[in-house]
Every structure is written in structure tokens, then in C-alpha cells.
Amino acid sequence: MKWLLRILFLFVVAFGLVIGALLLMPGDKLAAILAEQVKSETGRELKLTGDVNLSFWPVLGMETGPVTFGNAPWASSEPMLSAESLAVGVDAAGLWNGDFRIRRVFAEQPTLRLELSDGRGNWEMSAASSQPSSGSSAASSETSTSGVVTLDRLELTNARLIYIENGATKFDFSNVDLSASWPDPAAPMTMEARMAVPGGKVKVDLRIPDLPAYASGAVTPLKLALTAPGGEFGFDGRVNLAGEMDGNLEVKTNDTEKMLAAFGQAGVGVPLGLGRVADVSGHMTYTKEGRASLRNLEAQLDHNRFTGEADIEISDPPKITARLKGGDIDLSRYNDAPATAGGGSGTASASAPDSGWSTDPIDASALALANGEIRLTASSIAVPELTLGPSDLTLSLDRSRAVLRMAPATLFAGQVTGQVVANNRNGLSVGGELNAQGIDLQQALSTLAGIDRLTGSGSGDFEFLGVGQTEDQIMRSLSGKGSLNVGQGVISGFDLDRLMGRGKDAGGTTVFDSLTASFNIDQGILTNNDLLMSLDNFRADGTGQVNIGARTIDYLFTPVALRANSGQGLAVPVRIVGPWSDPSIKPDLSKVIEAAAEGKLKDIEDDAKQKVLDKVSDELGTAVTDTESAEGALKNKLEEEARKGLLKLLGGN
């Protein structure tokens, strides 16, 4: 028994001497020993600066000053982890049982750089695989996997988090406070993160029920909640170590522009009706290539509701491919200013109806928000001053250039096919090629130009191009061409029947059977020289100009009688001139005087000619009806007089 007590005493003394030696050892020497042990276990360089303080029981711990931990050999040259200070504590009693229970990991101003390349993560560490030695790899593998690893508390204060995937930086966040806990192998791992952003803070709560399975690369459940200024994001599904995800997604915003600003997209305006306030849900699948697909998509964007599916490629800007269905979509106030802090709303100043086109700058920055193609079928679509009926539209976006294809769109009670283009790459331009069938002309002209005097159903083609940063500039720069074919219709405001002398009052309107015309546009001026309007007893030709930029018209109708109308008909040209909102419509008296003068001169000429013929008839004693008969009668008279004179000279009878 005395020998046993002596051995135990010697063991305690030896252990005490070792502990005492460690406590008395200089900090730099302790740092070198720890760095050597870390490298042997992980294959990474650990550099400790400043004093190193140790604790042994009940927590085996270390506190140090600035520290860096090396990256994987295949990763970038920057360290995987660096910090201004680091404190690590491990449960000492658990080590006797082979368990590695981390009590605490505290780091001040750390930078954590996570890199993933070809399925490898720089957080995966194995000294045996990186530095193999003969006869020791199997034993090393067994010892490294024995026991249980848990984490009571991880805290990173004022951290910088960087994630790099296949050489591309996916995110780089600063001023992050992060905490994590995994107290038991069967317990879920929970993590909370806070980050300062413009307008407030982003809060992330993450929960992985089976961390060992996740760490091994298996697909495991995941719950994620993100709260940011202006909205929140939620995910409930599955995830793997490569970051691939599959599950139910929900995004809600009460101020989408504020949420975009929080994630570095300040100044991006969201049109009213496309999600200033949004509630989006669906089943999401995300791949490690940065592609997300949404199925069973339901989106409430302001007052508009959409369903369908979408594929999104996470890039700058994002690429979107979507097929959406909607009911009655209202975008008529898309440019309204967001509500003010006091609850009111502001709108851009609008020009008075007759004051001309707006000179307010057009904000086309939304064309740069994304690339891709979005197809929308809807029961109706209302935009400012225009409402489409049931329509099938496809919007293609490519580097600030948008192409809207209609296949078809229901507009003004008719069908429109073709495309409209808006290009904001080097200044704003708009253009298009359209074919229209069965268009209600009164609706179209009243909406587009404020003209409501022409009624009828028409078809035609239209090509146009305009350039400018305001509505006024675009209208004054318009160029293009087109044609129009109208069936039976009515022009209100003047009565061609009365002007043609038919003696009937049509109530100040002109009813026509058909109307055709073609036109060209140059510098905002539309020119037409071949208008043909067919009426019951006459036709009307037209020629003139419409100044689209100045919103004026100067046009001349020239009626042509098709039958005499009992001798009472007289062609009276009609000139339409002035602002197109209220033009002057009246007969062109100069044309009437010219026509009347030409008719009077003809009558005088015919009367004088007839009097000459009558006088010749009296003198010659024979009826003369025209110039030729007068010449013949005069010749005969001269011959007869010559014959009588010759006989008299010869003494005959």
C-alpha cells in the first residue's frame, strides 16, 4: 500500500510539474507548440501573435491576440480565418471519454473565408490525406473519427464573411455578428446572424436538425428565416453541403425598394403593380451552379395576382425565364411615386390635355433590372391611358433592351400582332412593327391622339421609331410608315353631303362606305397624299400633313361628284387645319372660286361661239352647227357666187 501511495504521489507531483511548466512557459513558446499540434492535426498553418493564456480545468482553453488560420492548398492564398483575438475552450472531462465538446469559441473582428471548388470545401480538413505516411494512415483515420464533437457556443463579433464558389465571389458581408450552438449530437444546430445594412439590420435564423448528416454531405432538412428592412424571406426544405436546396419558399415585402437597398440595390425603382408590396410563394429548387427554379408560383404584387413558374439564374443582373398567368392586371399607375412618410403619395406633374406632350424625363432604369424572357397571358392589362383585352405577351430583356411581342394583344376591340422595342443602352429609343385587324378607330384615335371625330373599324400596318429622353422628344423625332383600310364609317363635325349640294341634312356628319390611305412619318410629321374615301354618290380624295410633335393638322379633302345630281352638284374642297384637339373644319373658298371661275369662262366661251355660228348661218342662208360645217358652208357660198359672176361676165343667164 505504501508503494501505491508513493506512485500516486509521484504521478501527482509529475502532473503538477508539467502544468506548472506550461503555466510558466513564455507565450511565444506556447504558441509555437500549439501551432505545431494544429498543423499535425489539420495540415494548416496557425499563427498566433501576442500572449497566449491557457486554462486547464474544468475547461481546457486558450486565449490569444491576433491569429490567422491557413487556407486549403488548392484555395486562394488568403487565410481561411483571421481575427484580432480568439478564445477557445474545450470540456476537459469530456476528453477523457474521447468526446470533443467545445464549450466556447469567441472571436473579435474575424474574417471567415469559405471557398468551394469542384465539390471540395476549404472547411474540410484531414492531415492524414494531405500528408500521408506509410503504415499510419489507417490508424490516423480511425483516431480522427473516434469520439463525439459538439459545440456549446460560437460567437463572432464584427465579422466579415466571404463565400467563393469556383473562383467567383458569391457574397462578401461585413459588420456581421454571428452565434451558433450545437449542444448535443442528436440536437439541431441553430445559428443566428445579424448584419448592419442601409436602413437597418438583416437578421438570419438557421436550423439544421441533423448536423452530422449534413457535414457528411448527405441531404438534410433545413429551416431558414431572414428578416431585412422592408421584408422577410422564409425557406423550409432540404439542403446539402454544396448549398443546393429544395423546398417551399415564401417572400413577403412591405417595401420592396427598401429591401433592395439593404442588399446593395439602392435607387432601383419598382413600378406600382409589380411588387412595391409583395407576397410570393412557391416550391424552389436551387443548384450549386446558382440557378433557382420556382414551381407552383403564386405572386401577389401590389393589387395584381400572378400564377405560373419561373427559372432564375443568380447573376448581376439576374436572368429570368418565366411563364405567368394573370387575371385583370392593372399597371395604369405604374409610375406613381411611392407613399410618403406621412401616408400620402406624390405623382409626377402631368401636362394639361392641350398643352402638348410631356417634357418630364422618362426613367427607363427598370430595363436594366434583369435579363431573360417573361411570357404573360392575362384577361386584361391596363397601362396609362390604355387597356388591353385578353392578350398573350412575351417580354424579352437583354442589357437594357426590351422587346414586347404580341401574339396577339386585344386592343381597341381588335387584334394587334407584332412587336414594340424600348432600348436604353445609349439613350432611350422606342420603335415597333405592328399589324392591326378590326381596330375601333374612335377608341384608338381618342386614346392615342385625342381625336374623336372618326368612327369605324379599320385594319393596317404601322412601323415607327422615336428617340429621346422625354415624351415630347420622342414624338418630335418619330419616323416610319404605314397604311390604313377602313370599312363603313362616320366623320363627325362636317357634312360632305350638304357641301356637295345634295340638299340633305345628315346632322353634321359624313357617312362613308370605305376609306384607304398610306402615310410616311419623318421628324414627327406624318404625310399622306393618297387618301380615298368612297361615299354614296361621290368620292373624296385627301392630302396633307399631321404634325405629331406639335399636335396640329393641315389636311384637304376634295370631293368629286360621280353624277350630276340634277345639275345642282358642285365640288367643294374641305380644309381641316389647326390643333388636332379642336381643328377648324370649313370649305376651302379659294378652291371654290377657282372652280366657279373656270365654269363661268367656259360658259362665256360657249355662248360667244354659238352667236358667231348663228350669224354665219344667217349670212350664208344655211344652218351652221359647228366650226367644220361653217367652213363647208362658206366654201359652197363662195363657189356659187364665183359661178354667178362668171356667167354674168359671159352674158349668160
Side-chain angles (χ1 to χ4, degrees):
M1 179 64 69
K2 291 181 180 180
W3 287 104
L4 180 61
L5 292 175
R6 289 176 180 175
I7 292 173
L8 181 60
F9 176 74
L10 291 173
F11 178 78
V12 171
V13 171
F15 183 76
L17 290 174
V18 172
I19 297 301
L22 289 173
L23 292 175
L24 294 174
M25 187 177 294
D28 56 347
K29 187 64 175 179
L30 282 174
I33 293 173
L34 290 172
E36 183 178 350
Q37 290 298 315
V38 169
K39 185 172 183 179
S40 66
E41 291 295 326
T42 66
R44 308 283 183 88
E45 294 285 347
L46 176 66
K47 294 182 179 180
L48 303 174
T49 306
D51 293 335
V52 177
N53 300 315
L54 296 179
S55 64
F56 293 93
W57 197 268
V59 176
L60 179 61
M62 176 191 72
E63 295 182 3
T64 181
V67 59
T68 61
F69 181 64
N71 215 334
W74 51 265
S76 63
S77 60
E78 297 292 330
M80 176 181 170
L81 174 67
S82 63
E84 291 299 314
S85 66
L86 179 65
V88 179
V90 180
D91 184 75
L95 292 176
W96 293 103
N97 300 321
D99 295 335
F100 195 66
R101 180 178 293 277
I102 303 173
R103 289 298 188 184
R104 66 177 183 270
V105 177
F106 297 153
E108 290 286 341
Q109 299 184 26
T111 297
L112 179 61
R113 183 183 301 269
L114 301 178
E115 299 187 42
L116 182 68
S117 177
D118 298 328
R120 299 177 300 175
N122 67 340
W123 54 86
E124 300 172 3
M125 289 169 280
S126 174
S129 61
S130 61
Q131 296 178 349
S133 60
S134 61
S136 64
S137 61
S140 176
S141 176
E142 290 179 4
T143 58
S144 65
T145 58
S146 63
V148 175
V149 179
T150 58
L151 173 66
D152 284 356
R153 190 68 177 172
L154 167 69
E155 288 188 7
L156 305 180
T157 305
N158 195 20
R160 179 184 178 190
L161 303 180
I162 304 171
Y163 178 63
I164 300 173
E165 188 173 312
N166 296 321
T169 301
K170 295 299 183 179
F171 63 75
D172 186 346
F173 297 139
S174 299
N175 303 319
V176 178
D177 294 333
L178 183 145
S179 63
S181 176
W182 181 46
D184 187 86
M189 191 277 284
T190 60
M191 185 183 75
E192 296 180 358
R194 305 289 187 274
M195 179 176 65
V197 296
K201 288 188 176 182
V202 169
K203 176 184 176 183
V204 178
D205 294 301
L206 182 146
R207 179 185 177 92
I208 299 179
D210 192 348
L211 184 61
Y214 173 76
S216 69
V219 176
T220 57
L222 168 71
K223 285 189 176 181
L224 175 66
L226 182 150
T227 303
E232 59 186 18
F233 169 101
F235 177 81
D236 187 357
R238 304 180 303 161
V239 67
N240 65 13
L241 197 60
E244 296 178 317
M245 306 171 71
D246 179 79
N248 294 321
L249 170 73
E250 186 170 12
V251 180
K252 293 183 178 181
T253 70
N254 52 48
D255 189 337
T256 303
E257 294 181 5
K258 187 176 182 180
M259 191 173 186
L260 289 173
F263 290 101
Q265 300 296 321
V268 175
V270 178
L272 180 62
L274 293 180
R276 290 182 180 176
V277 176
D279 186 350
V280 181
S281 63
H283 188 89
M284 184 191 78
T285 301
Y286 178 77
T287 69
K288 61 183 180 182
E289 290 80 16
R291 294 184 176 90
S293 64
L294 290 170
R295 300 294 180 263
N296 302 320
L297 176 65
E298 295 184 5
Q300 185 70 42
L301 306 181
D302 299 320
H303 45 271
N304 296 321
R305 183 174 181 80
F306 301 88
T307 61
E309 56 189 31
D311 294 290
I312 304 172
E313 183 176 327
I314 308 301
S315 57
D316 185 21
K319 183 177 180 180
I320 302 173
T321 303
R323 294 172 60 91
L324 303 175
K325 293 182 179 180
D328 296 322
I329 307 302
D330 183 6
L331 302 175
S332 60
R333 296 180 294 118
Y334 79 96
N335 206 31
D336 282 5
T340 62
S345 62
T347 57
S349 59
S351 300
D354 297 332
S355 63
W357 304 108
S358 172
T359 57
D360 296 332
I362 298 174
D363 182 4
S365 61
L367 297 177
L369 288 178
N371 294 328
E373 183 173 281
I374 302 173
R375 181 179 178 184
L376 172 64
T377 56
S379 301
S380 68
I381 304 174
V383 295
E385 301 181 354
L386 191 67
T387 299
L388 284 70
S391 300
D392 186 347
L393 309 178
T394 300
L395 177 64
S396 299
L397 296 168
D398 180 28
R399 296 174 294 115
S400 297
R401 182 177 184 269
V403 180
L404 179 64
R405 296 191 297 273
M406 292 166 273
T410 302
L411 182 63
F412 305 127
Q415 300 286 311
V416 178
T417 58
Q419 66 180 25
V420 176
V421 180
N423 190 339
N424 196 40
R425 291 175 181 171
N426 297 297
L428 181 62
S429 64
V430 294
E433 297 180 3
L434 302 173
N435 176 269
Q437 300 292 328
I439 298 297
D440 187 312
L441 293 181
Q442 187 177 46
Q443 290 186 31
L445 293 176
S446 176
T447 300
L448 300 177
I451 299 173
D452 57 5
R453 296 179 180 272
L454 179 60
T455 303
S457 178
S459 302
D461 298 289
F462 184 31
E463 298 179 14
F464 68 96
L465 175 65
V467 179
Q469 295 300 134
T470 68
E471 189 179 67
D472 183 76
Q473 291 174 357
I474 291 173
M475 291 302 178
R476 292 180 184 276
S477 70
L478 278 179
S479 62
K481 62 181 180 179
S483 62
L484 178 66
N485 191 333
V486 184
Q488 190 176 55
V490 175
I491 301 176
S492 60
F494 66 97
D495 188 350
L496 282 180
D497 284 335
R498 296 188 64 186
L499 293 174
M500 292 294 288
R502 297 180 62 183
K504 297 180 180 179
D505 188 352
T509 63
T510 296
V511 179
F512 60 87
D513 296 324
S514 66
L515 185 152
T516 60
S518 65
F519 56 85
N520 290 292
I521 306 175
D522 183 42
Q523 295 299 311
I525 299 177
L526 182 151
T527 302
N528 161 252
N529 295 313
D530 63 353
L531 183 139
L532 175 61
M533 179 187 298
S534 297
L535 295 90
D536 187 16
N537 293 319
F538 55 91
R539 75 179 193 188
D541 299 318
T543 182
Q545 292 183 340
V546 177
N547 192 323
I548 300 173
R551 300 163 69 100
T552 61
I553 185 171
D554 185 358
Y555 205 83
L556 180 68
F557 278 107
T558 304
V560 179
L562 299 180
R563 58 175 180 255
N565 194 24
S566 302
Q568 301 301 315
L570 177 63
V572 181
V574 176
R575 184 170 293 278
I576 304 174
V577 63
W580 65 26
S581 59
D582 187 23
S584 172
I585 303 175
K586 57 187 178 182
D588 191 333
L589 297 181
S590 63
K591 299 294 182 181
V592 174
I593 293 172
E594 291 176 5
E598 290 178 0
K600 178 62 70 175
L601 290 174
K602 186 67 168 61
D603 291 342
I604 294 173
E605 179 183 350
D606 291 343
D607 185 59
K609 182 178 179 180
Q610 187 60 45
K611 289 181 177 180
V612 171
L613 293 176
D614 291 342
K615 183 63 175 178
V616 171
S617 297
D618 292 340
E619 292 295 331
L620 298 180
T622 182
V624 177
T625 59
D626 54 32
T627 304
E628 292 183 358
S629 62
E631 292 177 353
L634 180 58
K635 181 179 179 181
N636 293 334
K637 184 65 173 176
L638 291 175
E639 290 179 351
E640 181 178 354
E641 290 299 325
R643 183 176 59 82
K644 290 181 178 179
L646 183 58
L647 290 175
K648 187 174 183 180
L649 179 61
L650 296 175
N653 295 324

